[in-house]
Amino acid sequence: MRPPTAIVTSRGAKRLAAGHPWVFRSDLAEAPAGAAGVVRITDPRGQALGWAWWSPASEIALRRVERDSDATIDGAWWRARLSHALARRAPLASDTNACRLVHGEGDGLPALVVDRYDRWLVVQFLSAAVEAQRALVVDALQELAAPAGILARNDASVRAREGLPRTVELVAGDVPEEIEVNEHGVTYLAAPWTGQKTGAFLDQRENRVMLRAHARGRALDVFSYHGSFALHLARGADTVTAVDASAQALERARANAARNGIGTLACVEADAFDYLRDAAARGECFDVIALDPPALAKNRGSIAGALRGYKELNLRAMRLLAPGGMLFTASCSYHVTKPMFLEVVREAAADSQRPMILRALTGQPLDHPEVLTIPETGYLKGLLLENGEN
Ligand code: SAH
């Protein structure tokens, strides 16, 4: 039986040739017959371009997964692609028991996210074609990672654009409410069923360790979630304050502090903008600050507002920074590019009247590969800044 075939326009083919796997609906010269799944793709002259995920409901109609038209997307293919992704993460094994095993397009597996928390996996099937192959994916993961359980956190909003329901489902075995994560000697509880993302923010692991090297005196972790930066900062600082708007997250931060034998974590439930303003008014001063807000730009239309937010937050944080103090500031907004973020932090530095020294510019860790030709795989950028005043 001939597999369903999609014909892409020459513009679509050009985009593929430039290294981006997506073909938009407007670049579909002929849609494949049949439901969501794996389809062959060709250019308008019939030249084979490999295989793609087909999403009938989405603006992103095709996502190329395989350039070799002679390949077969079966269990063996999935095992090969997944073992490649797993092998890339091997260097992390000695430092943590939690990492992203599959970062979608960044690992050549569009619309699939797999995070490992100790012996459990949390999976997100983010397109109709990946959902259609769920059994193959689960079998391959069982074989390669032998997890104690697999949870599908299919409640991500992008599922709606694929015409897929938003659910949280146990796919295999059992998955506990909380899982203990070990991260460079710090332990914390991740909440795979109910936590943000798949239960924790794995993408800041290395940045926490980087900032920890500068921890001393008074430390502040703004947008702390469950104390992620704070737990590391407590290793070197005398006092640590964790600020977050979520009472639930701070409750876990307290439990995480106790778990690490930290008696000096002050948790403050507050709006971060207000907290930073009030702390400045009180004349407070910190030696090290982590500033890790949620994505302030959710879409292109909200970039201008987001930039104002980033500037405000960074300016306020810089004003709280002691001479010689270190600020780690991050943006996880995909729509705010690296140059935009650097520029807005530069503006904040100018307004702060402090000589802020750029000590490091960071991107994504090993387990969140950012492919240069696929901008959507990159979203996280960070700056380590030192207040150069004496
Ligand atoms: N730094 C964390 C991740 C932060 S995610 C880590 O490394 O794991 C963003 C956090 O900001 C969430 O915990 C959310 O509850 C919190 N948040 C969102 N808006 C906020 C606001 N206006 N003020 C304070 N916290 C806020």
Side-chain angles (χ1 to χ4, degrees):
M1 197 184 77
R2 260 176 63 81
T5 299
I7 304 176
V8 308
T9 63
S10 44
R11 191 174 65 173
K14 227 180 194 165
R15 208 173 139 82
L16 290 173
H20 201 295
W22 295 359
V23 176
F24 291 100
R25 195 203 301 256
S26 52
D27 281 327
L28 211 50
E30 199 178 302
V38 185
V39 298
R40 265 167 55 86
I41 42 176
T42 75
D43 74 5
R45 290 172 307 158
Q47 178 82 38
L49 298 175
W51 298 91
W53 301 157
W54 157 230
S55 287
S58 171
E59 279 306 311
I60 306 167
L62 301 171
R63 291 172 166 93
R64 181 160 71 171
V65 298
E66 175 61 66
R67 288 159 183 260
D68 179 4
S69 302
D70 297 326
T72 309
I73 313 294
D74 56 7
W77 182 91
W78 272 103
R79 282 194 297 280
R81 199 53 72 95
L82 285 169
S83 10
H84 187 78
L86 267 58
R88 163 178 299 283
R89 277 75 181 172
L92 296 175
S94 52
D95 293 321
T96 185
N97 63 347
C99 72
R100 174 149 296 190
L101 293 181
V102 178
H103 180 54
E105 279 78 347
D107 281 295
L109 288 166
L112 179 69
V113 169
V114 182
D115 286 343
R116 179 163 93 91
Y117 292 98
D118 196 18
R119 294 184 295 123
W120 295 274
L121 300 182
V122 184
V123 183
Q124 294 182 304
F125 299 96
L126 301 175
S127 91
V130 171
E131 180 67 71
Q133 294 177 85
R134 185 195 277 223
L136 284 180
V137 178
V138 169
D139 282 355
L141 287 173
Q142 300 268 31
E143 199 173 318
L144 295 171
I150 304 178
L151 180 71
R153 272 300 290 272
N154 280 341
D155 49 344
S157 60
V158 290
R159 296 239 325 165
R161 286 189 238 154
E162 295 279 331
L164 297 169
R166 293 173 66 181
T167 58
V168 179
E169 286 173 68
L170 190 63
V171 172
D174 271 318
V175 174
E177 286 293 324
E178 292 181 317
I179 300 173
E180 185 174 279
V181 170
N182 191 334
E183 178 181 285
H184 290 264
V186 160
T187 60
Y188 66 82
L189 291 182
W193 289 82
T194 55
Q196 296 192 36
K197 286 204 167 183
T198 60
F201 295 89
L202 301 172
D203 51 7
Q204 294 281 24
R205 179 195 313 114
E206 283 73 10
N207 291 327
R208 294 178 195 126
V209 174
M210 178 181 73
L211 192 60
R212 167 167 108 182
H214 301 282
R216 61 190 168 83
R218 298 190 61 197
L220 176 65
D221 178 10
V222 190
F223 302 99
S224 180
Y225 191 50
H226 53 207
S228 315
F229 277 89
L231 300 173
H232 286 277
L233 294 177
R235 290 297 175 94
D238 302 326
T239 65
V240 187
T241 303
V243 179
D244 203 280
S246 161
Q248 207 189 356
L250 288 175
E251 204 172 295
R252 285 215 306 283
R254 278 186 207 98
N256 287 333
R259 179 172 291 267
N260 289 277
I262 299 165
T264 51
L265 182 66
C267 293
V268 181
E269 183 187 337
D271 176 82
F273 289 83
D274 295 345
Y275 176 86
L276 292 171
R277 189 195 52 221
D278 297 348
R282 287 192 299 269
E284 289 199 38
C285 186
F286 293 92
D287 299 295
V288 53
I289 302 177
L291 188 62
D292 181 25
L296 298 184
K298 302 282 184 216
N299 50 53
R300 225 182 277 272
S302 55
I303 292 176
L307 291 176
R308 282 194 296 277
Y310 284 119
K311 178 165 173 197
E312 192 67 44
L313 286 171
N314 280 282
L315 172 57
R316 290 180 186 189
M318 287 170 190
R319 286 190 173 146
L320 287 178
L321 203 57
M326 300 295 271
L327 166 65
F328 175 74
T329 177
S331 164
C332 61
S333 299
Y334 160 67
H335 296 279
V336 172
T337 61
K338 294 178 185 73
M340 283 158 84
F341 186 55
L342 191 55
E343 182 52 31
V344 83
V345 174
R346 190 197 308 279
E347 286 170 16
D351 286 7
S352 79
Q353 297 285 302
R354 285 161 176 75
M356 300 300 299
I357 298 167
L358 180 58
R359 293 285 300 267
L361 221 165
T362 69
Q364 287 169 207
L366 175 71
D367 54 337
H368 293 65
E370 175 180 348
V371 178
L372 279 183
T373 54
I374 317 174
E376 293 81 358
T377 56
Y379 60 95
L380 184 66
K381 48 263 160 208
L383 304 172
L384 179 66
L385 303 167
E386 176 189 334
N387 179 358
E389 283 178 318
N390 45 40

